[in-house]
């Protein structure tokens, strides 16, 4: 008998569509990072319409990733996020436990200015003990995904934004980025965000970026 070749398991992409936390849980607070005294609300609820939009984008992204041979886990597959104790610590742990090649957090933006529009990608700053283990890979992923999603959608490129204050990054042990897919407070962009065709474009852009970052 020839030796069996153990095929490495395909890379797992952890999709984290934002929000959807029951309000009573969302109002609770949690530590912004391991050992921190700084507490932050679990889920402020997000921009108007955001939770439903980002779930649909995540579902489409999942379909395309599976087609390409990735494994996929999602922190929520329905309107409500119920994993663990809720909140962003739980979201990070969900992806950590699955040893994800990437935690891809999908959000939409809001602004008091209705003219604000475009796409940006957030990534963790390099903080010793919290994100020093994921900083470089997260930044690589952020660059790849931001470039690809702007090409796929033609949206305004708002660039990359380093963040020190995102609980979901600070608890992550796997590369982690957060894509703000557009402004629901901009009427024209919201119409797009709520159209099937544009959601597929967003998903294609996300997947093209993932593919540049990690092979299945
Ligand atoms: Zn959000």
């Amino acid at each position: 008998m020839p030796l069996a070749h153990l095929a490495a398991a395909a890379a797992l992409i952890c999709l984290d569509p934002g929000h959807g936390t029951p309000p009573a849980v969302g109002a609770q607070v949690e530590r912004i990072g391991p050992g921190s005294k700084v507490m932050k609300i679990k889920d402020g609820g997000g921009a108007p319409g955001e939770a439903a939009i980002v779930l649909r984008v995540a579902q489409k992204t999942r379909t395309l990733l599976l087609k390409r041979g990735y494994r996929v886990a999602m922190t929520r597959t329905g309107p409500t996020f119920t994993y663990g104790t809720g909140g962003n610590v739980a979201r990070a742990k969900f992806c950590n436990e699955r040893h994800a090649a990437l935690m891809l957090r999908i959000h939409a933006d809001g602004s008091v200015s209705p003219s604000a529009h475009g796409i940006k990608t957030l990534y963790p700053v390099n903080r010793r003990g919290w994100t020093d283990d994921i900083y470089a890979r997260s930044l690589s992923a952020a660059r790849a995904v931001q470039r690809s999603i702007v090409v796929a959608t033609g949206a305004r490129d708002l660039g990359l934004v380093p963040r020190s204050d995102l609980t979901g990054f600070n608890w992550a042990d796997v590369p982690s980025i957060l894509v703000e897919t557009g402004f629901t407070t901009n009427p024209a962009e919201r119409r797009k965000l709520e159209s099937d065709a544009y959601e597929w474009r967003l998903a294609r852009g996300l997947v093209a970026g993932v593919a540049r970052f990690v092979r299945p």
Side-chain angles (χ1 to χ4, degrees), residues 14-208:
C14 191
L15 298 178
D16 179 32
H19 310 290
T21 315
V25 176
Q28 296 169 7
V29 294
E30 59 188 352
R31 287 182 205 287
I32 197 172
S36 177
K37 291 191 184 75
V38 180
M39 307 295 284
K40 195 171 168 186
I41 192 167
K42 284 184 176 175
D43 184 354
E50 178 183 353
I53 290 167
V54 299
L55 176 63
R56 292 195 300 271
V57 172
Q59 286 165 333
K60 290 175 169 69
T61 303
R62 177 179 183 275
T63 298
L64 299 180
L65 286 170
L66 291 173
K67 255 189 214 169
R68 286 212 188 197
Y70 293 92
R71 293 182 297 140
V72 176
M74 287 175 69
T75 55
R76 69 179 170 100
T77 54
T80 313
F81 175 68
T82 55
Y83 182 75
T85 52
N88 289 300
V89 178
R91 289 176 193 269
K93 285 184 173 169
F94 178 93
C95 299
N96 291 345
E97 282 161 9
R98 285 158 180 78
H99 306 287
L102 179 66
M103 178 187 189
L104 178 53
R105 313 179 64 192
I106 304 173
H107 282 245
D109 238 332
S111 171
V112 290
S113 161
S115 62
H117 67 283
I119 298 178
K120 59 176 168 285
T121 299
L122 284 45
Y123 66 98
V125 298
N126 187 353
R127 175 166 169 158
R128 191 151 54 88
W130 285 5
T131 52
D132 47 352
D133 52 341
I134 63 166
Y135 164 76
R137 290 288 286 159
S138 299
L139 178 55
S140 299
R143 285 190 178 124
V145 169
Q146 176 69 14
R147 205 174 304 147
S148 294
I149 199 169
V150 165
V151 168
T153 58
R156 184 179 186 194
D157 184 357
L158 300 177
L160 304 182
V161 184
R163 293 289 291 262
S164 62
D165 61 324
L166 295 190
T167 310
F169 285 167
N170 293 336
W171 287 86
D173 296 325
V174 296
S176 183
I177 62 172
L178 187 156
V179 182
E180 297 279 12
T181 53
F183 285 78
T184 72
T185 44
N186 177 292
E189 201 158 57
R190 179 158 183 173
R191 270 195 300 279
K192 286 186 187 172
L193 286 166
E194 291 188 327
S195 82
D196 224 37
Y198 193 77
E199 287 170 0
W200 279 114
R201 281 213 227 173
L202 288 166
R204 282 197 293 272
L206 291 171
V207 171

